[in-house]
Amino acid sequence: MKPKAEDNISGFLDGYKARNIAILEDTLVYDIKDLEKLLFLLTELAKENQDFRHEFETISDIYNHFKNNSFDILSRLIELGGDLNNFLDIIKDNFKGKYSNRIEDIIFKYIEICEKSKNQELLKRAIKVASKINS
């Protein structure tokens, strides 16, 4: 059984984390909606071209997972950073060339959101994703 002081500290930290996530969600709600729209647009563009079937399936999964509101925004953004990082590693060069502006818009919006969040984990992921823009 935990001592009462540990329970109090744990409860305080849980409340502090929940409050920070709520503030983050309120602050970034419009940026998140913009990012969702950018992901949706790339998904729709990729759907039209049979040569990019694998990229379409991947970006569609990323989009559907990101718009899932059953997770808090911090978790969604952390997951998106990993997904974008992996996506940039697996896409074909001709897909990257054809949709480079759309991909860059998504990455820049992600970076902007991460900077606004001031969350160190998100900033690390944003830097990792940003390093792949011109690769």
Side-chain angles (χ1 to χ4, degrees):
M1 183 172 223
K2 289 184 181 180
K4 186 170 173 95
E6 283 184 37
D7 285 342
N8 289 343
I9 290 172
S10 179
F12 170 78
L13 292 176
D14 288 344
Y16 182 77
K17 180 181 174 189
R19 183 178 134 291
N20 285 344
I21 289 172
I23 290 169
L24 182 65
E25 287 183 3
D26 288 345
T27 304
L28 300 176
V29 67
Y30 296 112
D31 290 313
I32 296 299
K33 291 294 181 196
D34 288 344
L35 184 54
E36 285 177 1
K37 289 175 189 173
L38 292 169
L39 287 166
F40 174 77
L41 181 59
L42 183 59
T43 301
E44 290 299 303
L45 291 170
K47 181 174 27 175
E48 295 175 4
N49 191 330
Q50 287 297 338
D51 294 338
F52 302 135
R53 184 175 180 86
H54 179 67
E55 286 82 357
F56 163 70
E57 291 171 357
T58 305
I59 196 69
S60 181
D61 287 344
I62 291 169
Y63 168 68
N64 287 326
H65 192 261
F66 183 66
K67 72 176 189 168
N68 181 353
N69 290 328
S70 64
F71 299 102
D72 65 78
I73 194 62
L74 186 59
S75 299
R76 290 170 52 204
L77 288 168
I78 289 171
E79 185 76 25
L80 179 63
D83 290 344
L84 288 175
N85 192 37
N86 293 336
F87 180 69
L88 293 171
D89 285 339
I90 65 167
I91 60 176
K92 297 176 189 170
D93 288 337
N94 56 345
F95 182 86
K96 195 181 286 189
K98 184 169 184 170
Y99 300 117
S100 63
N101 290 340
R102 303 287 183 197
I103 294 168
E104 287 178 3
D105 289 345
I106 291 168
I107 292 170
F108 289 141
K109 181 52 83 173
Y110 180 72
I111 292 168
E112 179 185 345
I113 291 170
C114 292
E115 287 176 342
K116 286 181 180 180
S117 77
K118 298 180 180 155
N119 179 286
Q120 292 303 312
E121 181 62 31
L122 286 179
L123 291 171
K124 287 179 196 175
R125 289 180 185 262
I127 290 168
K128 194 171 184 180
V129 169
S131 70
K132 295 188 177 187
I133 288 178
N134 293 324
S135 58

